Amino acid sequence: MNHYSWDNLRKHIEEITPISDEEFEHIKTFFTPKRVKKHQYLIQEGDHATFEFLIMSGIFRMFYLDDEGKEYIVQFAGENWWMADYQAYFNEKKATLHITCMEDAEVLCMTLHGRETLSSDLHKMEHFFRVKLTKGYVAQQRRIISLLSSTPQQRYEEFGQLYPHMIQKIPKKYIAEYLGVSRETLSRLYSANKGR
Amino acid sequence: MNHYSWDNLRKHIEEITPISDEEFEHIKTFFTPKRVKKHQYLIQEGDHATFEFLIMSGIFRMFYLDDEGKEYIVQFAGENWWMADYQAYFNEKKATLHITCMEDAEVLCMTLHGRETLSSDLHKMEHFFRVKLTKGYVAQQRRIISLLSSTPQQRYEEFGQLYPHMIQKIPKKYIAEYLGVSRETLSRLYSANKGR
DNA sequence: CGCGCGATTGAGTAATTTCAAATCTAGTGG
DNA sequence: CCACTAGATTTGAAATTACTCAATCGCGCG
């Protein structure tokens, strides 16, 4: 693994809190780099959710698969996003979600034990994780409100404003699954919009 | 304010991490008790979201109000739940949500400055908040999946299983707003179920 | 006892889904 | 470079689901 990832990791952490070289050397030991190719799974339903992932490059989608084989997208994730089946990861249960790669990627893997050790060793890292969680919590809450109160049309627009880079790269059928509408409905909304 | 609240607070914190008497004395200074009556608002849209609240007793609902005056419930909260318009609170913006009391209550109020100071003073408290956020994050994620993948019927049942105490005390029309269906639809589901 | 809020029920309407088919696109191998 | 194929998107039409509006019922509180 080249140095690029590590530089990037450090930058990522220092957006929240400054750290010393020594500290960073320590932190590094908790991350394992991994290359992932398009269509490859990071996690599948039933796996032990041993790791969480910090994405250095590439794009992933995390989804729930129901009994009938329908996908429902929980989250997309690109550079500098964290992702895991956190329900399973934190409770050390088997995964109920799938994570799959949509664009060749490089990720850093961390175990729950790593996260907890790092948090307890370094107050700064506990702080880092808390801040990250805070942002994630607020983002999820916004999404819940959007699901409850907005029309599919509005949800699509909100998604586009929030993640302009993703809306370009991601097939619309997945965006539909994220928004909670069928791809046909999304398609119809989309063409309705052109007329404006 | 009687001692009861403080004992309760300490117990609440010590579910996550043990603290010394000294530490607790320090922690206490960041919380301000407040009594709230039914129908009283903790926050209204447009307010400065100065505080977050730890509920000692009583029940609240937090909701978003759209242009047409429709409510969408973001969260119910009872004893030992934290609640705030976190989007506004963390970013020090004006509130976009409402929090209102549904049953006479007692809460402890904390400012963002308090939370951050406490977190930085005491690694333990940063840990406490991180653990709480983790749980909240996972719970919200489950709700998103439920909104995407389950029928109103299933969502109602899931809600009942998850919050059996709330489903009794809370008027069904609010539960409908939480689940994202009209009260009429919920009512029909409910009567359909009786026939089983 | 009556008022007001919540819950229920009915009927008609609007929105979305489903199923099916046609079209378009990007990536693959020859 | 082209032909081919699998995946993605669009379109149409019918069926389903949930919503809205309106009226009624039920119950607890003052």
Side-chain angles (χ1 to χ4, degrees):
Chain A
M1 188 66 37
N2 57 35
H3 282 186
Y4 172 72
S5 287
W6 298 125
D7 289 355
N8 204 317
L9 172 62
R10 180 156 187 176
K11 229 177 277 170
H12 179 64
I13 295 170
E14 293 206 317
E15 277 175 21
I16 309 293
T17 176
I19 48 177
S20 70
D21 291 351
E22 270 177 29
E23 284 166 342
F24 184 60
E25 286 307 311
H26 181 58
I27 290 166
K28 269 166 68 171
T29 65
F30 291 90
F31 289 91
T32 311
K34 177 184 176 114
R35 279 185 202 290
V36 194
K37 298 216 135 200
K38 189 170 175 173
H39 297 134
Q40 197 178 336
Y41 280 75
L42 279 181
I43 286 191
Q44 283 181 266
E45 187 184 348
D47 288 354
H48 269 292
T50 319
F51 299 101
E52 68 183 314
F53 308 96
L54 172 58
I55 297 164
M56 298 283 95
S57 64
I59 297 182
F60 292 84
R61 70 176 195 274
M62 177 162 74
F63 59 93
Y64 170 70
L65 204 61
D66 75 7
D67 307 331
E68 289 160 356
K70 271 193 205 160
E71 282 190 27
Y72 302 90
I73 295 201
V74 177
Q75 186 190 158
F76 296 112
E79 196 181 329
N80 285 337
W81 285 61
W82 291 78
M83 88 180 330
D85 180 342
Y86 282 114
Q87 168 139 40
Y89 178 71
F90 288 125
N91 299 307
E92 302 187 273
K93 306 276 169 147
K94 301 215 168 173
T96 58
L97 303 177
H98 302 256
I99 300 178
T100 192
C101 179
M102 301 172 71
E103 228 180 49
D104 289 4
E106 193 182 308
V107 302
L108 299 178
C109 311
M110 188 161 65
T111 63
L112 180 61
H113 180 257
R115 168 185 274 246
E116 297 303 319
T117 307
L118 208 43
S119 293
S120 110
D121 287 357
L122 287 175
H123 188 165
K124 282 173 184 174
M125 285 306 290
E126 185 115 47
H127 179 72
F128 171 82
F129 286 121
R130 180 172 70 87
V131 171
K132 281 285 160 191
L133 270 165
T134 301
K135 292 181 192 217
Y137 184 89
V138 168
Q140 280 192 335
Q141 188 165 90
R142 183 171 40 221
R143 181 161 173 214
I144 288 172
I145 295 171
S146 176
L147 283 171
L148 290 175
S149 70
S150 299
T151 64
Q153 170 117 269
Q154 292 167 323
R155 296 208 292 276
Y156 179 73
E157 284 162 16
E158 288 165 20
F159 181 84
Q161 286 173 3
L162 219 47
Y163 308 109
H165 42 296
M166 297 235 167
I167 211 168
Q168 299 162 351
K169 293 194 178 181
I170 296 174
K172 292 210 176 55
K173 65 173 214 164
Y174 294 127
I175 293 178
E177 287 169 20
Y178 180 93
L179 299 177
V181 294
S182 69
R183 41 177 188 238
E184 293 94 333
T185 300
L186 181 63
S187 173
R188 282 181 254 261
L189 296 178
Y190 186 66
S191 56
N193 274 353
K194 280 186 196 155
R196 294 190 312 184
Chain B
M1 189 66 36
N2 57 36
H3 283 186
Y4 172 71
S5 288
W6 298 125
D7 290 353
N8 205 316
L9 172 62
R10 180 156 186 176
K11 228 178 280 171
H12 179 63
I13 294 170
E14 293 205 318
E15 277 176 20
I16 309 292
T17 176
I19 47 178
S20 70
D21 291 352
E22 271 177 26
E23 284 166 342
F24 185 61
E25 287 307 312
H26 181 57
I27 290 166
K28 269 166 68 172
T29 64
F30 291 91
F31 289 89
T32 311
K34 177 183 177 116
R35 278 185 203 290
V36 194
K37 298 218 133 197
K38 189 169 174 174
H39 296 134
Q40 195 178 338
Y41 280 75
L42 279 182
I43 286 192
Q44 282 180 266
E45 187 185 349
D47 287 354
H48 269 291
T50 319
F51 298 102
E52 69 183 312
F53 308 95
L54 171 59
I55 298 164
M56 299 282 96
S57 65
I59 297 183
F60 292 85
R61 70 177 196 275
M62 176 162 75
F63 59 94
Y64 170 70
L65 204 61
D66 76 8
D67 307 332
E68 288 159 357
K70 271 194 207 161
E71 282 190 27
Y72 302 91
I73 296 203
V74 178
Q75 187 189 158
F76 297 114
E79 195 180 331
N80 285 339
W81 285 61
W82 292 77
M83 88 181 329
D85 180 343
Y86 281 113
Q87 168 138 41
Y89 178 70
F90 287 125
N91 299 307
E92 302 187 272
K93 305 276 169 147
K94 300 215 169 174
T96 58
L97 303 177
H98 302 255
I99 299 179
T100 192
C101 179
M102 301 172 71
E103 227 179 51
D104 288 5
E106 192 182 310
V107 301
L108 299 177
C109 312
M110 187 161 65
T111 62
L112 180 61
H113 180 258
R115 168 184 272 248
E116 297 302 318
T117 307
L118 207 43
S119 293
S120 109
D121 288 357
L122 286 175
H123 187 166
K124 282 173 186 175
M125 285 305 291
E126 183 114 48
H127 179 73
F128 171 82
F129 286 122
R130 180 172 70 86
V131 171
K132 281 284 160 195
L133 270 165
T134 301
K135 291 180 194 226
Y137 184 89
V138 168
Q140 279 192 335
Q141 190 166 88
R142 183 171 39 221
R143 181 160 174 216
I144 288 172
I145 294 171
S146 175
L147 283 170
L148 290 176
S149 71
S150 300
T151 63
Q153 169 118 266
Q154 292 167 324
R155 297 208 291 276
Y156 180 72
E157 285 163 15
E158 289 164 19
F159 182 83
Q161 285 173 4
L162 218 47
Y163 309 109
H165 42 297
M166 296 235 168
I167 211 168
Q168 298 161 351
K169 294 193 177 182
I170 297 174
K172 292 210 176 53
K173 64 175 219 163
Y174 295 127
I175 293 178
E177 288 169 19
Y178 180 92
L179 298 176
V181 293
S182 70
R183 43 180 189 243
E184 292 96 333
T185 298
L186 181 64
S187 173
R188 281 183 253 260
L189 296 178
Y190 186 67
S191 55
N193 274 352
K194 281 185 196 157
R196 296 188 311 183

